[in-house]
Amino acid sequence: MDVGPGGRDARYRRQLADRSFRGAGGLFEDLACHGLDLFDSLFGPITQVDVSQLHIPAASLVPDRVEARWRHGPAIEAHGIWDFAAEARTDTIVITGEHGTIRFAIFDEAPIEVHSRAGVATHDIPNPKPIQLPHVIALNRALGAGVPHPSTGHSALRTARASEAILRGPRTRVERG
């Protein structure tokens, strides 16, 4: 999986110069949580970070590249690369399973591709306008009708702990919460 808005753009350069990002996870903490939260929802909580590598430029305390391998329980292994200094910007998630692969983006407007022995099926599902609309609708249902919201404080805490474990380093057991 190759995720995250990369490219040497003005936002990245501002982040390196912004003292509030120094010593923190920078754009990784700002953006990776959205994908990690989605993976938590699709595959269950991240239970262990097996390996992580950070590249931190000499002029900054903020990583411009993060690479990690982690597990969702005993059966699902994942690999992610967030390269905020890459020459080319990519936002691609690839899920590989026994019967094929699924490709999609976290942030970009891109079709979902399902690759199987039968061929490739493409599904164009545009992002809602505004992007927060599904969250607002789910929150309204949770408050008004008691329908559980798919994203809770518990799932947010799991995502934050997984992100911190990736930033801490190899073989980090993710705390349960």
Side-chain angles (χ1 to χ4, degrees):
M1 170 179 357
D2 199 6
V3 295
R8 297 183 186 279
D9 61 10
R11 181 177 179 189
Y12 172 74
R13 286 189 297 276
R14 279 193 311 271
Q15 172 206 348
L16 290 179
D18 184 348
R19 292 192 179 275
S20 67
F21 275 96
R22 290 182 184 235
L27 285 174
F28 177 81
E29 281 189 319
D30 184 28
L31 300 171
C33 60
H34 300 287
L36 294 172
D37 190 53
L38 176 63
F39 305 147
D40 178 286
S41 176
L42 293 173
F43 307 121
I46 294 173
T47 54
Q48 184 170 331
V49 174
D50 294 321
V51 175
S52 70
Q53 296 177 329
L54 309 179
H55 176 263
I56 302 173
S60 175
L61 298 175
V62 178
D64 65 357
R65 179 182 166 87
V66 177
E67 184 169 354
R69 293 186 186 279
W70 66 90
R71 298 174 181 274
H72 297 266
I76 299 175
E77 297 179 5
H79 176 231
I81 300 170
W82 295 265
D83 191 343
F84 301 104
E87 290 298 325
R89 183 187 179 287
T90 60
D91 178 8
T92 306
I93 305 300
V94 179
I95 299 172
T96 303
E98 187 176 323
H99 299 287
T101 61
I102 301 171
R103 292 171 115 14
F104 62 93
I106 297 286
F107 297 104
D108 288 348
E109 288 278 350
I112 297 171
E113 297 176 2
V114 180
H115 299 252
S116 69
R117 290 182 190 103
V120 178
T122 302
H123 306 278
D124 194 13
I125 303 172
N127 288 330
K129 306 260 187 266
I131 195 72
Q132 299 88 353
L133 186 59
H135 171 68
V136 171
I137 291 170
L139 187 58
N140 189 30
R141 288 181 184 151
L143 294 174
V147 176
H149 193 292
S151 183
T152 65
H154 296 291
S155 65
L157 181 59
R158 286 194 309 266
T159 298
R161 286 180 172 163
S163 177
E164 289 171 3
I166 289 170
L167 290 172
R168 273 196 310 262
R171 291 195 185 90
T172 304
R173 174 91 44 211
V174 178
E175 300 172 26
R176 292 211 176 279

